[in-house]
Amino acid sequence: SLGLPVLGISPDKPEKLEKFIKDHGLNFTLLSDPDHAVAEAYGAYGEKNRYGKVSMGIIRSTFYVVDGIVEKPWYNVRAKGHVERIRRDLGL
């Protein structure tokens, strides 16, 4: 509603992302990053510790980017309440 562009990036294949968009009624673009190149570049792929088990994977993250520069990163985010947190942190 603020006119800010939103992009999602996932390691899933485009076909799976299209279904996810339809199933959840998303109004923003999801891009496929199957080799994790973008996630790695943003520090959103790496070692995770979940319930004491260490593995490599996607670190759910959000980035506020202005003119190609990451102004604010959020790592290890949870979907619930995240939009409100972003708005609060950015004073929107």
Side-chain angles (χ1 to χ4, degrees):
S1 67
L2 298 172
L4 299 173
V6 175
L7 298 174
I9 302 176
S10 167
D12 294 328
K13 293 183 179 183
E15 302 79 31
K16 188 172 181 181
L17 295 177
E18 287 176 29
K19 182 177 181 336
F20 188 85
I21 289 168
K22 285 182 184 178
D23 289 351
H24 296 280
L26 301 183
N27 62 355
F28 57 88
T29 302
L30 289 181
L31 303 173
S32 179
D33 181 32
D35 62 358
H36 313 125
V38 175
E40 288 180 34
Y42 279 80
Y45 184 86
E47 193 173 274
K48 299 169 32 166
N49 188 336
R50 186 170 176 163
Y51 304 114
K53 182 180 177 186
V54 177
S55 64
M56 294 295 286
I58 295 295
I59 300 164
R60 186 174 285 189
S61 309
T62 299
F63 303 92
Y64 180 58
V65 180
V66 178
D67 295 329
I69 298 169
V70 176
E71 296 288 334
K72 175 86 175 134
W74 293 267
Y75 292 96
N76 296 308
V77 303
R78 299 192 186 283
K80 186 174 182 177
H82 188 53
V83 171
E84 292 80 15
R85 178 181 174 197
I86 291 171
R87 286 183 174 181
R88 183 191 70 234
D89 288 357
L90 297 178
L92 303 174

